[in-house]
Amino acid sequence: MGFSAVNPVVDNIVITPAFMPDISVKDFADAMKLDGTVTPARMKYALTDSANSVCRELKAWTDNALHQHGSLTLEDYDLTNDTDKCFSFQKAVYNLAKAQLTEHYRDYDTGKDATARTKELTPQIDTCYRNARNAIADIKDEPHSTIELI
């Protein structure tokens, strides 16, 4: 995603359900190499949507962690079980949000190179979605892919 520096990214916090860690817009922008071209408000919206999606998908796993392990937060779970699921949660939310932003921004180009630019960004979007799926699988302790013989 070719962004140029326009406005500095101010920090804002996306509040997640009590068990999950909150997400920083500035940390997201820094980690995913975004700058002021995408406004902090759009980043926050994409992060909120992504966090909600990831939390919904992890609902059963979260309920189990709360019930079986007695962990009050994902950070507590990590400390108790010597895991790094907070990082995986962040990775899932960040990649899902970046995929959404890239999809929305790629259709703004109306010049003759718009089709080529769209094709260039498709693999990046697919990679972000795959990274998000893999991070969710890491949290659930599931394999990254399922292979069936036909």
Side-chain angles (χ1 to χ4, degrees), residues 16-24 54 58 61 71-94 135-136 138-140:
T16 60
F19 183 76
M20 297 299 185
D22 293 337
I23 302 290
S24 162
V54 171
L58 292 173
W61 183 89
S71 301
L72 298 177
T73 66
L74 190 57
E75 291 168 350
D76 293 341
Y77 183 93
D78 279 348
L79 289 172
T80 303
N81 298 290
D82 195 29
T83 61
D84 201 10
K85 295 187 187 295
C86 280
F87 174 78
S88 295
F89 175 75
Q90 252 184 353
K91 182 179 174 183
V93 173
Y94 284 9
I136 291 169
D138 288 343
I139 293 170
K140 294 177 168 183

Side-chain angles (χ1 to χ4, degrees), residues 28-47:
F28 163 70
D30 292 344
M32 302 309 280
K33 299 180 182 177
L34 299 175
D35 58 28
T37 303
V38 179
T39 65
R42 288 181 192 260
M43 285 187 226
K44 184 175 182 182
Y45 180 85
L47 285 167

Side-chain angles (χ1 to χ4, degrees), residues 56-119:
R56 265 192 309 276
E57 187 156 349
L58 292 173
K59 176 102 173 81
W61 183 89
T62 302
D63 291 346
N64 184 48
L66 286 167
H67 179 70
Q68 298 248 335
H69 300 281
S71 301
L72 298 177
T73 66
L74 190 57
E75 291 168 350
D76 293 341
Y77 183 93
D78 279 348
L79 289 172
T80 303
N81 298 290
D82 195 29
T83 61
D84 201 10
K85 295 187 187 295
C86 280
F87 174 78
S88 295
F89 175 75
Q90 252 184 353
K91 182 179 174 183
V93 173
Y94 284 9
N95 276 281
L96 195 55
K98 184 167 184 185
Q100 290 174 2
L101 288 169
T102 306
E103 280 182 328
H104 291 266
Y105 272 82
R106 75 176 174 181
D107 64 354
Y108 288 157
D109 186 3
T110 58
K112 64 182 179 181
D113 296 330
T115 304
R117 181 81 175 129
T118 298
K119 288 181 181 178

